[in-house]
Amino acid sequence: MARVTALIVSFLLAAATGASARPSSYAVWAADSAIKRGQGNGLDSTGKASVSYEHGELQWGLRLLYEKTGNKTYYNYIVTGANNIVYDNGTVHGGYTLTDFSLDPIRTGPTFLYLYQQTKQTKWKTAADTYRKQLDGHPRTTEGQFWHKLRYFNQGWLDGIYMGDIFYAQYTKDFQVTNTSAWVDITSQFNLIYKNTLQASGSSNYTGLLYHGYDFSHTAVWASSDRGHSPEIWDRALGWYAMALVDVLDIIPSSNTGHSTIINILRTLAPRIRDAADPNTGVWWLVMTQPGRAKNYFESSGSAMFVYSLLKGVRLGYVQDPDGSIVKAAVKAYKYMVSNWVVTNSDGTMGWTNTVEVGSLSGNGTFDYYVSVGTILNDLKGLSAFLLASIEYENL
């Protein structure tokens, strides 16, 4: 154990080497930089109200940072962002339409629940009730999986678990803790996507990880003949799911059978995520089923999500790491991230690079599609994930 501890300490010191001129907390730097740029505040680039899952992801990180530091700047920014998309009567606006039946907007739901816990203002409960009502009528496969969006017929995506089911679980805990059927349903969402997207042993470029999504009807152009899964493992989709696993375990009561079901999925995937990292850099390829292929590259949002999930999982005992190899892998990846993807701007803010703009199964889901999508500087999906990863890294 002493050897493992010494090894981890050496990696922590190495991660700091060459970065002494930077702020001592990358989590604080990332958050302050996003706030200074006006990112994640419930408005789009034109200043119009916009319900955005990216904003929900940032607000989750700001909440954790507020709880850690006590700096009310972060709490106030969350309030401002939520107020920009919720009227005083609790109506959610900013482009949200219930009948679109998209899971993406629901990622802002945990913010509403958090603010209701903090303030007891009715508007936040009303806003949360709107999302819960959507889930009641949300289209599903015949097995019970939520469709990612109404327009994606019979498709479950890994992304959707992070977008919809953390809210679903927190709402149930806050208002319906004895609702057994809801807990069963939440567990089923995690389990169905796992069962239908798990890469089968013997597959080419085997990782034992999860494909981006599946089409239960097998009608999508990319649907496989067996379970209808998509052809590639995309790092950020898997990152969303990994974060959802470690976050929902904080919410589901440990006495609930769903807790053990989800922890078993996490314990299966965590060492496989560790093993899928590039052995030289320690980070992860955009298309994880095609490591080293021309045009593939190391992608920053998925890598940060994995670091957050692995470190949090080990810290809370959800992931077993008797030899320290999982923490060692996460620390190595974090060292690469701060050395290669963090940029010091002239105004003192932090820049974040190498986050792919989007990944969708609306097309053919091929390798060529994923690598054709451009990367975005300071993309909030990646910057927020780095904030989360930094909080866990600094907890070490």
Side-chain angles (χ1 to χ4, degrees):
M1 188 64 186
R3 178 178 176 274
V4 172
T5 301
L7 201 59
I8 292 170
V9 169
S10 69
F11 269 84
L12 292 171
L13 292 173
T17 302
S20 58
R22 294 176 172 184
S24 58
S25 170
Y26 282 95
V28 168
W29 196 18
D32 290 352
S33 298
I35 290 172
K36 187 171 183 177
R37 287 191 289 264
Q39 294 183 274
N41 63 355
L43 304 175
D44 64 17
S45 59
T46 68
K48 293 181 180 179
S50 176
V51 176
S52 167
Y53 66 85
E54 299 179 29
H55 297 191
E57 182 193 4
L58 176 67
Q59 289 160 359
W60 184 271
L62 293 179
R63 175 178 68 81
L64 296 179
L65 198 56
Y66 167 59
E67 292 170 353
K68 182 178 180 180
T69 66
N71 185 341
K72 203 158 186 180
T73 298
Y74 305 127
Y75 176 80
N76 292 339
Y77 199 76
I78 294 170
V79 173
T80 296
N83 274 326
N84 280 333
I85 59 171
V86 180
Y87 290 130
D88 288 343
N89 66 0
T91 299
V92 183
H93 58 108
Y96 172 73
T97 304
L98 185 149
T99 53
D100 285 345
F101 289 109
S102 171
L103 293 176
D104 286 344
I106 296 178
R107 183 58 223 180
T108 57
T111 298
F112 304 160
L113 295 172
Y114 172 66
L115 292 179
Y116 182 71
Q117 290 170 357
Q118 297 299 305
T119 68
K120 299 305 178 186
Q121 286 182 283
T122 305
K123 66 178 288 187
W124 303 122
K125 174 65 163 56
T126 302
D129 288 344
T130 299
Y131 288 166
R132 186 62 184 83
K133 179 182 178 182
Q134 176 184 322
L135 294 181
D136 283 339
H138 202 92
R140 299 169 179 254
T141 68
T142 55
E143 287 186 310
Q145 183 90 66
F146 290 136
W147 296 7
H148 188 64
K149 296 181 182 181
L150 179 62
R151 62 193 178 98
Y152 297 137
F153 180 76
N154 262 304
Q155 294 179 24
W157 296 10
L158 294 176
D159 321 35
I161 302 297
Y162 185 77
M163 304 309 165
D165 290 297
I166 301 302
F167 166 78
Y168 192 2
Q170 190 66 58
Y171 187 99
T172 303
K173 181 180 180 180
D174 290 350
F175 305 114
Q176 302 174 352
V177 71
T178 60
N179 187 341
T180 304
S181 62
W183 289 123
V184 169
D185 191 27
I186 291 160
T187 303
S188 180
Q189 298 304 313
F190 281 85
N191 208 28
L192 285 172
I193 200 83
Y194 177 78
K195 179 189 76 170
N196 284 293
T197 64
L198 181 65
Q199 188 183 29
S201 59
S203 303
S204 59
N205 299 317
Y206 177 71
T207 65
L209 296 171
L210 308 182
Y211 295 104
H212 187 168
Y214 73 102
D215 172 10
F216 191 69
S217 66
H218 291 210
T219 56
V221 66
W222 43 258
S224 66
S225 59
D226 57 346
R227 288 162 292 147
H229 64 72
S230 57
E232 303 289 358
I233 294 173
W234 179 49
D235 73 322
R236 188 158 71 224
L238 183 60
W240 291 128
Y241 185 73
M243 293 202 300
L245 288 171
V246 296
D247 288 346
V248 81
L249 285 169
D250 292 342
I251 303 170
I252 297 181
S254 58
S255 59
N256 190 288
T257 56
H259 194 275
S260 58
T261 297
I262 292 172
I263 210 168
N264 286 336
I265 293 174
L266 177 61
R267 288 179 175 176
T268 298
L269 294 179
R272 296 178 183 180
I273 292 171
R274 172 201 61 198
D275 295 344
D278 175 68
N280 295 319
T281 64
V283 293
W284 289 266
W285 295 92
L286 173 79
V287 182
M288 298 174 71
T289 26
Q290 304 280 350
R293 182 173 171 180
K295 296 185 180 180
N296 205 356
Y297 60 89
F298 302 128
E299 200 277 327
S300 65
S301 65
S303 291
M305 291 172 181
F306 294 147
V307 169
Y308 168 74
S309 303
L310 295 176
L311 290 181
K312 180 177 179 179
V314 172
R315 177 174 62 84
L316 295 178
Y318 302 147
V319 172
Q320 299 166 330
D321 190 27
D323 63 355
S325 62
I326 290 177
V327 169
K328 178 182 175 181
V331 170
K332 181 178 180 179
Y334 190 83
K335 175 185 175 182
Y336 182 92
M337 290 195 295
V338 299
S339 297
N340 292 272
W341 295 330
V342 172
V343 177
T344 304
N345 296 323
S346 59
D347 63 357
T349 60
M350 190 201 93
W352 178 256
T353 66
N354 265 56
T355 294
V356 68
E357 181 178 13
V358 72
S360 174
L361 291 174
S362 59
N364 59 17
T366 62
F367 172 86
D368 287 338
Y369 159 71
Y370 286 111
V371 298
S372 72
V373 179
T375 60
I376 302 294
L377 179 66
N378 298 326
D379 186 285
L380 204 54
K381 296 181 289 295
L383 181 64
S384 300
F386 178 69
L387 164 59
L388 292 167
S390 296
I391 289 172
E392 284 301 326
Y393 176 83
E394 290 163 17
N395 281 336
L396 287 173

